[in-house]
Amino acid sequence: MGTRILTVEDDERIRTAVRIALEDEGWLVDEADSGETGMEQFSRQPADVVLIDIMLPGMDGFELCRSIRRTSDVPIVMVTARDDTHDVVAGLEAGADDYLTKPFAPKELSARIRALLRRVRVTPHDLPVIRLGDLEVAPEQGVVRKDGRELHLTKTEFKLLCELASAPGKVFSRENLLEKVWGYDYFGDGRLVDVHVRRLRTKVEGDPANPRHVVTVRGMGYKLQP
Amino acid sequence: MRLLRRGLRLRTRITIAFAVGGFLVSVMLAAITYGVSRNTVLDQREQASRQQFLTNARVVQDASRSESVDYGELLQSLPQLAGGQPIINLGNEDEWVSPSLTPADLPEALIAGVLQTGQAEQMRYEVPDGPRLAIGARLEPSGVAYFEVVTLNEVADNLRSLAITLSGAAVLTTLAAAGMGLWIGRTVLRPLVGVSAAAQAIAGGRLDTRLQARSDPDLTKLVASFNDMASALENRIERDARFASDVSHELRSPLMTLRASIEVLESRRSELSERAATALDLLREDVDRFQKLVEDLLEISRVDAGAADLALSEVSVVDLVQAVADSTGRSGQFPIALSRNLGDPVILADKRRLFQVIANLFDNADKYAGGVTGVVIDGDEDAVTVAVEDQGPGIPHAERHQVFERFSRGDQARRRGGGGGAGLGLALVAEHVRLHGGEVWVEDRARHQPGAKFVVRLPRRPGEN
């Protein structure tokens, strides 16, 4: 069974060109021309990855992203014509896993999709379960528990947490995390890490403003407090 | 600086105007005071002298009625409260009697007047000793003429000290006026110093600079119009920048379609005829160039709008240069040399912008000089330099600034042509480097080797100078 990608884009020409290019890469592509139809299509036939243009008439990309996030942790890639901090951060805050700026090469999009779909790397040593105070990370089962209660994380949040948990106490730089979690080589956007850490904190921390688990190391990066 | 200098000049002018005004007024007042005082003092003195003269003259007249008068004794017995000295003419031109004077002490005109007309007369005159007053009258019926000479030296001395005092006062008044002018000038110009600083700030790119409101109604107007002007300027610049940015955004959508379509065609390259494949290559290259131009335009309009914020992080310069070479398909095409004793220089910089800086310098070498021949990384405690060298024709001195201008088309660009022009690449390099507080320049390669050397100097810690 092929991987289904839902592209939500109001410009028909872009939609068509991107669809053909993605199909050449071997993906199955569904199309929607507005936020509303995108939402409807997604609830009828859930996709494996959703590609959302931010500037849509009616329900905009941010809103669609939030709506999908309410029911699903499917990887979402935002497409923006502006790489202003505001749009990028707002898109990530709305729940997107990654973003691309128009015009992007479809090959680059395919690479991003593959990185998002990649399973959590399981280390050769097979860390079974990592316990950190009230937090319990089980990479094998893909489960995180807090006080015994199962938490709902997106795939990317989970990958990020597992990466940090692979070496509790070790400081991971943004570049490091971008490479390991998102598959960027040298030029990833550090904001991806920052926003995802923020989102992760709202789920795993008792008080996200004063994190005890995912700690910022000023000027260096992040670490998981052992 | 220029505004400040002008301010000083205006202040000097105000000071001088006040000093001149003070001087003129005080000199005028002094002159009037002196004139009035002088007349009053002299009048009083003359009146006193005349009184004394008349009293004495009456005594002499009475005495002259008798036949045997010893005028010498008589004259000595006369009181001289006003400081006069008597002399008598006995009716004959040559017969004079006086205890202390000779006829030469009297002005001839007075003698002649008194003797001929018989009128009482007085006359003020100068001798080398000082001013004098002489009074004379013919006494009837004896025909004796009685004269008195009063020395006015003392009066003149008094008047001289008055003049000195008044001059001193005039000098002091002038100085005080100058001081006041200086103070007023400074007070009046003080708000202008704020205006000048604000204008400089605006010229320096801080477009949101405004003057603070003042309570003085005169200044309120100035402040209001200055701030209106600044707002208008800001709006205008923002509108221009937004326009460039909007245009770039609008261009991104068709570019998206073009890129995706080209990629579809690329993957079917084997199905294309040779001519169609060549056309596809041309299309792809120019779409790439077009996209680069749009990105650069967007980037530069963001800098113009002051919306460019540096996302600083620790960057290894060597890693960065290597990464640029790798990701632009130039891996291993030229040596990257690192000066000894430099270690692995790490600077605080915006990685994305720095990437563009190096990539644009590489592109520039490709376009105009047949490609990069080497990169040399050097530096000291404060800064790191990256030099990108080529073996092209070099850049003449006259064009070394021009190449960093937007869309500059120097002889270099024309000669190399290729239809491209220099575009925005180097202009963007200059803007990015400037944002980091660094510098970029072109120089000749060492030891007269042919080619150009673009050097970027970046502070290790931007903003900490």
Side-chain angles (χ1 to χ4, degrees), chain A residues 11 13-14 17-18 20-21 24-25 80-85 101-107 175 186-187 219, chain B residues 245-246 249 252-253 255-257 259-261 263-264 267-268 291 295 302 309 313 315-316 319-320 323 351 355:
Chain A
D11 187 325
R13 308 163 68 83
I14 295 180
V18 169
I20 300 174
D24 276 1
E25 295 280 317
T80 160
R82 297 176 184 263
D83 47 10
D84 306 357
T85 298
T101 312
K102 275 185 201 171
F104 54 84
K107 280 194 198 311
E175 283 79 7
Y186 186 75
F187 294 98
Chain B
S245 153
D246 287 347
H249 287 307
R252 282 179 164 196
S253 290
L255 269 172
M256 180 73 242
T257 313
R259 288 212 64 163
S261 305
E263 204 167 280
V264 171
S267 63
R268 284 172 182 67
Q291 180 177 343
E295 298 295 335
R302 211 176 290 149
D309 43 349
S313 63
V315 179
S316 153
D319 286 356
L320 181 104
K351 202 152 86 175
F355 180 91

Side-chain angles (χ1 to χ4, degrees), chain B residues 7-23 172-190:
Chain B
L8 276 175
R9 251 167 48 194
L10 181 56
R11 198 178 301 166
T12 315
R13 285 212 304 267
I14 292 177
T15 308
I16 290 173
F18 265 78
V20 168
F23 177 74
L172 285 180
T173 311
T174 306
L175 287 178
M180 204 154 142
L182 196 65
W183 180 73
I184 288 177
R186 204 174 285 162
T187 312
V188 167
L189 290 178
R190 194 174 300 136

Side-chain angles (χ1 to χ4, degrees), chain B residues 37-105:
Chain B
S37 310
R38 185 173 179 276
N39 285 345
T40 311
V41 170
L42 285 176
D43 281 356
Q44 277 174 357
R45 192 60 199 263
E46 277 178 16
Q47 216 173 333
S49 302
R50 213 161 39 234
Q51 218 85 57
Q52 184 74 64
F53 172 81
L54 289 176
T55 313
N56 289 347
R58 218 160 283 136
V59 173
V60 175
Q61 190 177 30
D62 287 348
S64 68
R65 289 179 207 276
S66 67
E67 287 297 314
S68 55
V69 190
D70 183 346
Y71 282 111
E73 217 168 280
L74 176 69
L75 292 186
Q76 286 208 325
S77 70
L78 291 174
Q80 289 295 353
L81 298 174
Q85 288 172 291
I87 183 167
I88 284 181
N89 176 271
L90 299 176
N92 187 319
E93 288 242 355
D94 306 324
E95 279 185 273
W96 294 84
V97 177
S98 170
S100 52
L101 298 176
T102 64
D105 288 322

Side-chain angles (χ1 to χ4, degrees), chain B residues 45 49 52-53 56 80 82-88 96 98 100-107 110-111 123-125 127 130-136 146-152:
Chain B
R45 192 60 199 263
S49 302
Q52 184 74 64
F53 172 81
N56 289 347
Q80 289 295 353
Q85 288 172 291
I87 183 167
I88 284 181
W96 294 84
S98 170
S100 52
L101 298 176
T102 64
D105 288 322
L106 291 171
L110 183 74
I111 298 172
M123 185 177 282
R124 214 186 294 161
Y125 62 104
V127 294
R132 288 188 178 175
L133 175 69
I135 313 172
Y146 177 67
F147 295 87
E148 272 186 19
V149 174
V150 184
T151 313
L152 296 177

